[in-house]
Amino acid sequence: MKPHFRYIIILFVLFFQLGAVFSQQRIGLVLSGGGATGLAHIGVLKALEERGIPIDYITGTSAGALVGSMYASGYSPEEIEKFVLSDEFLLMTNGKLKASQRFSLREDESDADILNITFTLKNILKKSLPTNVVTSTYLDFEMMKLLGTVSASYSKNFDSLFVPFRCVASDITNKKSIVFSNGDLNQAVRASMTFPFYLSPIRINGNLLFDGGLYNNFPADIMYKDFNPDFIIGSNVSSNAAPPTEDDLISQLTNMLVSYSSFELPCEYGIIIQPKTTVSTFEFKEVQQAINDGYISTLLYLDSIQQHVDRRISKVELDIKRKNFRSKISELNIESISTLTNQNKEIKYAERSLYNPYRKKIVSPLKIEKRYYRLYSSPQIDFIYPTLSRKSDTTYSLNLEIRKSKEFKLEAGGIFSSRPINTGFISLSYRKVGRIGLNIKSNSYFGKFYGSTKTEITIDVPSTYPISIAPYFVMNRWDYFKSFATFFEAVKPSFLIQNEMYYGVKFTHPIDNTSKSTFDIRVFDLEDDYYQTANFTYKDTTDKTFFTGSSYSWEIIKNTLNRKQFASEGSLFALKIKYVDGKEHSISGSTSALKYDSKKNHHWISLNGELKSFLISKPAFHFGVHAKGVLNSQSLFYNYTASLLAMSSFSPLPDIETFFLPEYRSPQHIGGGVNMIFTIKRKIDLRFDAYYYQPFIYLVKNDNGTFGYSNLFKGETYIASASAIYHTFFGPIRATLNYFPLQSSPLSFQVSYGYVIFNERAIR
């Protein structure tokens, strides 16, 4: 063959190949919204990839924006599926945190609150109503890690992603859709999936944005306009709302909020897959079913799609491209912090909590995550939204939008029972953030059995290793009267009234996020009024014991329990050492066999320990172990009853606090038991608790009126309890049968609502 003919053939082949490249078929994928239902799109992606169907562009709304953005960020369908099936994702959708992300230093001490509202003095009602059901803290941080790092590494240009991407959100001020083609990917997707009243809305460029499905739930028009592909594949799990009816408020609100969306393709070259699934919008526990339904539905369309799509791409080739794309994304190393607020004091508080500006040290992913959740736990902070900017090839700048909490928080609750222990609870807090965090909280319990008031001022000093200083004042009053009755009975006058007044200051610092160390100094003044005989009348006067002094304690506590009472998951470890120094003054009453007016000094050291751990935690069954113990060098008070009242009580069950049970009081004891919980529905538990109690020594009253300690390891007994508990959004409703074998009426039944939680005792 002559040389010039060879050159002509080569040029012809090259021209033909170049033409094929320029005429290569481009495929667009459109994903609708739909909440948990919309996660069926993952199954659609799996089926398309298995057949080698290429995806060159993606547009999505809400759940479609989440799935589409992860695919566009170089995550495979299998990786996306693993993410949405994880326990962590379920926590995100429920607005909860992992136990390790809680920050116990800034958690309030448990109290009996059932509901709360926050407000400001201006427009109290208007600005006090909640705007979201779940808290998005965990979701927002994880989306920053998954998506924010990607957009920051690719100049925040959505056309530069692994697959060019668009998503839509709704601007309710101007009643229009907003299309995102650049910016912070995690922020754009978060706006697109902000379902009204479910997630807190965010602002982008000054506009308050909500779920894209309000105005465009199937962005096929965006696909056609921005990318103009040769063929469009749609995946739609949504439909327009039915017309409103006169007696259906939800249908009326839906039609007021949501505009008509077109679920048609804007061109004739395309096909719409409509996965059939029974999974509803908020059924995130059923995500696997939605994915399977999406996969199976797509298989029915594949032959039709393959008739129109000539190109193929292998799984191996996709994995290589994904690896190359993600190689440019570095892990979350933070070099600087900035906040999107004009309040300089808030900036300083946030910066000092996350970053030490004097050390100029890059913060690792593990440390920034820990500090982020510590900052969020501040009662003065209501909302944080994070985005990233690339600083260098290996570091980022963390940008935070911070919203302060409303200044005031009102809480209410208590315990409402068929037994005569009904107690109301109310609390008011004032929160302020400046260079330090300030939280002033006062509460009050009120009822015949128990009354209390407490005021505490918590000063939170922000730093990468924060501390809190909290002066406080407390007054308690317990009024015991013998009553094991379920509903009504005639009772004698109170046989024991205890009054406490104490004040002090606590210094607390974290050990890690879920554990803390507290040093406490307090001064106390106690008064016990009691009868030493069962034969007394209204005319009789009580014996009295006054005890005044001071105490010094150090406590380490680690708590990951899932509830403040009636927990079924997590663990608790507490160890406390205390020194008490005080003066007793005991005075006889009219029923005392001997007349006395005695004064005596006391000082002792006590060591208290508690361990609780749920070893098995399955959806339908939970099994835990629980142990408590006390070692105490306490000396005896003047009489038997005064000595007994000063001793520690073994109280592994909340209801024991509402009885005066001498058989569970001892200066040195240990006890342990098991907790078995059968969850018959998501919020309904059948609970069985059983404990063995062993005092090392206990107080014995002799026939001649003298008293002293028993021989070692005598006085063992048991406790058992069975409950049916319904954990409502506003606290537990329960029916409980308690068993105290040494009482004349061993069984005690009650129906109650609320929490059996009181302010801390002074020293006991």
Side-chain angles (χ1 to χ4, degrees):
M1 181 180 294
K2 293 183 179 181
H4 62 279
F5 285 112
R6 186 181 295 114
Y7 295 144
I8 291 173
I9 292 172
I10 292 172
L11 288 172
F12 178 78
V13 171
L14 290 174
F15 179 78
F16 179 80
Q17 290 179 340
L18 187 62
V21 170
F22 281 107
S23 63
Q24 185 170 312
Q25 195 179 31
R26 312 300 286 176
I27 311 301
L29 179 65
V30 181
L31 305 176
S32 74
T37 317
L39 299 180
H41 300 319
I42 301 170
V44 175
L45 286 168
K46 288 176 67 177
L48 293 175
E49 277 206 0
E50 285 180 5
R51 288 290 184 95
I53 305 298
I55 299 171
D56 300 299
Y57 313 107
I58 297 180
T59 60
T61 294
S62 195
L66 175 62
V67 175
S69 65
M70 292 189 70
Y71 191 83
S73 297
Y75 296 99
S76 69
E78 291 74 22
E79 289 174 318
I80 303 172
E81 180 178 30
K82 182 179 179 181
F83 171 69
V84 301
L85 291 177
S86 66
D87 293 337
E88 290 78 9
F89 183 73
L90 191 60
L91 287 174
M92 295 176 211
T93 60
N94 289 325
K96 298 178 180 178
L97 298 176
K98 290 192 296 185
S100 60
Q101 293 165 340
R102 291 164 47 186
F103 189 40
S104 60
L105 176 71
R106 293 181 178 136
E107 289 183 349
D108 285 338
E109 291 183 6
S110 295
D111 53 36
D113 77 290
I114 292 171
L115 57 89
N116 66 79
I117 61 170
T118 59
F119 62 93
T120 62
L121 292 180
K122 297 180 180 178
N123 301 318
I124 291 178
L125 180 61
K126 181 179 178 181
K127 294 188 177 181
S128 297
L129 297 175
T131 59
N132 55 288
V133 174
V134 303
T135 302
S136 62
T137 309
Y138 191 9
L139 175 68
D140 293 341
F141 190 82
E142 288 301 306
M143 287 181 63
M144 180 194 71
K145 286 168 42 179
L146 291 169
L147 305 178
T149 52
V150 179
S151 58
S153 300
Y154 281 90
S155 304
K156 302 193 178 185
N157 181 355
F158 295 179
D159 287 336
S160 299
L161 299 176
F162 180 71
V163 178
F165 174 73
R166 299 287 185 272
C167 69
V168 296
S170 298
D171 178 355
I172 62 171
T173 303
N174 298 302
K175 304 294 187 296
K176 67 177 184 179
S177 290
I178 302 293
V179 180
F180 291 99
S181 60
N182 55 55
D184 295 291
L185 182 60
N186 61 307
Q187 190 178 44
V189 174
R190 169 65 162 77
S192 181
M193 56 191 288
T194 302
F195 195 90
F197 311 120
Y198 189 72
L199 291 175
S200 178
I202 60 175
R203 286 189 183 274
I204 302 179
N205 299 325
N207 297 315
L208 194 66
L209 302 182
F210 284 88
D211 195 296
L214 295 180
Y215 302 144
N216 188 348
N217 211 14
F218 187 66
D221 56 330
I222 306 302
M223 173 64 71
Y224 187 75
K225 178 182 177 182
D226 281 26
F227 298 122
N228 191 24
D230 299 297
F231 191 81
I232 298 176
I233 301 172
S235 178
N236 176 41
V237 296
S238 294
S239 60
N240 287 304
T245 59
E246 295 83 354
D247 58 350
D248 189 341
L249 177 61
I250 299 300
S251 72
Q252 296 169 19
L253 291 173
T254 300
N255 278 269
M256 280 189 268
L257 289 171
V258 181
S259 298
Y260 175 85
S261 290
S262 173
F263 295 100
E264 304 291 333
L265 295 179
C267 61
E268 58 181 304
Y269 302 109
I271 194 168
I272 298 179
I273 302 167
Q274 294 187 329
K276 303 298 182 184
T277 182
T278 57
V279 178
S280 63
T281 303
F282 296 106
E283 284 188 307
F284 289 99
K285 280 191 172 182
E286 306 300 326
V287 166
Q288 183 67 74
Q289 183 62 51
I291 295 172
N292 293 343
D293 292 337
Y295 179 83
I296 293 170
S297 298
T298 306
L299 294 180
L300 303 176
Y301 290 86
L302 281 176
D303 289 341
S304 298
I305 293 172
Q306 288 177 317
Q307 291 177 10
H308 296 89
V309 178
D310 299 326
R311 280 177 55 217
R312 297 290 181 271
I313 185 167
S314 70
K315 187 72 171 174
V316 173
E317 186 179 354
L318 272 173
D319 289 342
I320 292 172
K321 287 185 175 182
R322 286 191 178 107
K323 184 177 180 180
N324 291 335
F325 175 82
R326 297 196 61 79
S327 66
K328 298 181 181 179
I329 304 168
S330 61
E331 63 179 355
L332 192 65
N333 291 305
I334 301 300
E335 185 178 338
S336 62
I337 308 287
S338 65
T339 55
L340 306 177
T341 174
N342 294 323
Q343 300 296 322
N344 184 60
K345 292 180 179 180
E346 295 169 32
I347 293 173
K348 293 298 183 186
Y349 184 85
E351 286 181 342
R352 290 177 180 177
S353 298
L354 294 168
Y355 183 74
N356 188 336
Y358 304 106
R359 296 182 66 181
K360 302 294 183 182
K361 186 178 180 181
I362 294 172
V363 185
S364 68
L366 184 62
K367 286 184 178 180
I368 199 64
E369 180 170 347
K370 180 190 295 184
R371 295 173 187 176
Y372 179 87
Y373 288 111
R374 287 182 175 185
L375 173 63
Y376 173 75
S377 69
S378 303
Q380 299 85 4
I381 302 295
D382 179 61
F383 180 79
I384 304 175
Y385 194 81
T387 54
L388 296 171
S389 298
R390 198 66 181 258
K391 292 285 288 185
S392 67
D393 290 341
T394 58
T395 63
Y396 301 90
S397 173
L398 176 61
N399 313 307
L400 301 175
E401 177 194 349
I402 298 177
R403 293 204 297 259
K404 292 192 303 181
S405 298
K406 297 181 178 72
E407 290 95 333
F408 294 95
K409 181 179 181 181
L410 180 65
E411 300 170 283
I415 177 68
F416 308 96
S417 174
S418 57
R419 286 184 54 235
I421 58 168
N422 296 294
T423 305
F425 171 82
I426 191 168
S427 170
L428 181 64
S429 302
Y430 172 74
R431 294 90 61 88
K432 184 178 181 181
V433 62
R435 293 186 177 275
I436 60 171
L438 180 67
N439 186 22
I440 304 173
K441 182 175 182 178
S442 292
N443 71 34
S444 178
Y445 289 83
F446 44 93
K448 174 176 172 51
F449 165 69
Y450 176 67
S452 178
T453 183
K454 176 181 178 180
T455 298
E456 184 171 83
I457 303 172
T458 303
I459 302 167
D460 189 357
V461 182
S463 72
T464 56
Y465 190 73
I467 62 169
S468 71
I469 304 168
Y472 57 85
F473 174 83
V474 181
M475 293 180 66
N476 288 322
R477 184 178 189 271
W478 280 270
D479 187 345
Y480 292 93
F481 43 95
K482 282 191 178 295
S483 176
F484 271 62
T486 302
F487 290 97
F488 306 102
E489 72 171 356
V491 298
K492 288 186 174 183
S494 303
F495 70 93
L496 167 62
I497 296 176
Q498 293 182 299
N499 288 286
E500 300 183 342
M501 186 276 289
Y502 65 92
Y503 58 90
V505 60
K506 294 185 293 187
F507 303 88
T508 309
H509 67 87
I511 299 173
D512 59 25
N513 270 21
T514 58
S515 58
K516 61 184 177 182
S517 168
T518 301
F519 183 68
D520 189 320
I521 304 171
R522 68 180 52 166
V523 175
F524 58 85
D525 187 348
L526 316 181
E527 178 185 344
D528 293 339
D529 299 340
Y530 52 90
Y531 293 100
Q532 296 195 68
T533 176
N535 301 314
F536 60 88
T537 68
Y538 288 98
K539 296 180 180 180
D540 289 316
T541 58
T542 60
D543 289 42
K544 296 179 182 291
T545 294
F546 302 92
F547 188 49
T548 59
S550 58
S551 70
Y552 309 86
S553 68
W554 177 55
E555 181 180 36
I556 295 175
I557 185 167
K558 182 178 181 67
N559 186 2
T560 61
L561 295 175
N562 63 331
R563 299 188 183 106
K564 62 183 177 181
Q565 209 159 67
F566 313 115
S568 60
E569 295 179 8
S571 62
L572 168 71
F573 171 77
L575 186 65
K576 185 173 187 177
I577 185 169
K578 181 192 298 182
Y579 174 74
V580 177
D581 184 19
K583 178 180 287 188
E584 172 200 359
H585 182 193
S586 291
I587 304 172
S588 60
S590 62
T591 63
S592 178
L594 299 173
K595 300 301 178 182
Y596 61 88
D597 187 337
S598 171
K599 295 181 180 180
K600 187 178 181 181
N601 292 324
H602 297 273
H603 56 86
W604 67 80
I605 295 176
S606 66
L607 180 65
N608 295 262
E610 182 175 8
L611 175 64
K612 189 170 191 174
S613 180
F614 285 92
L615 307 176
I616 300 174
S617 186
K618 302 293 184 182
F621 178 68
H622 308 265
F623 178 82
V625 294
H626 187 193
K628 299 182 73 173
V630 174
L631 294 175
N632 195 328
S633 65
Q634 181 176 327
S635 53
L636 293 174
F637 279 53
Y638 182 78
N639 61 57
Y640 169 81
T641 304
S643 299
L644 190 66
L645 292 175
M647 290 179 181
S648 300
S649 171
F650 178 66
S651 52
L653 300 175
D655 292 333
I656 293 181
E657 298 285 349
T658 65
F659 297 100
F660 180 71
L661 303 173
E663 64 266 34
Y664 299 112
R665 288 176 174 262
S666 167
Q668 299 173 20
H669 64 254
I670 192 169
V674 296
N675 315 114
M676 292 187 294
I677 301 106
F678 298 89
T679 302
I680 58 177
K681 283 193 174 181
R682 183 182 175 188
K683 293 183 179 294
I684 300 177
D685 290 342
L686 295 179
R687 185 183 184 103
F688 302 92
D689 304 290
Y691 291 89
Y692 173 78
Y693 167 70
Q694 176 64 69
F696 299 157
I697 55 173
Y698 70 99
L699 203 59
V700 177
K701 189 174 184 180
N702 302 314
D703 294 337
N704 61 3
T706 62
F707 64 98
Y709 287 124
S710 68
N711 295 327
L712 288 174
F713 302 110
K714 299 293 183 180
E716 66 276 4
T717 186
Y718 304 88
I719 303 171
S721 178
S723 300
I725 307 175
Y726 176 38
H727 299 278
T728 74
F729 184 76
F730 297 106
I733 300 172
R734 66 187 173 105
T736 299
L737 182 66
N738 292 313
Y739 176 64
F740 307 116
L742 298 184
Q743 291 293 310
S744 57
S745 300
L747 294 176
S748 170
F749 176 75
Q750 69 183 66
V751 178
S752 63
Y753 168 58
Y755 295 101
V756 186
I757 299 177
F758 309 119
N759 284 331
E760 183 183 9
R761 285 181 176 266
I763 59 170
R764 294 178 246 239

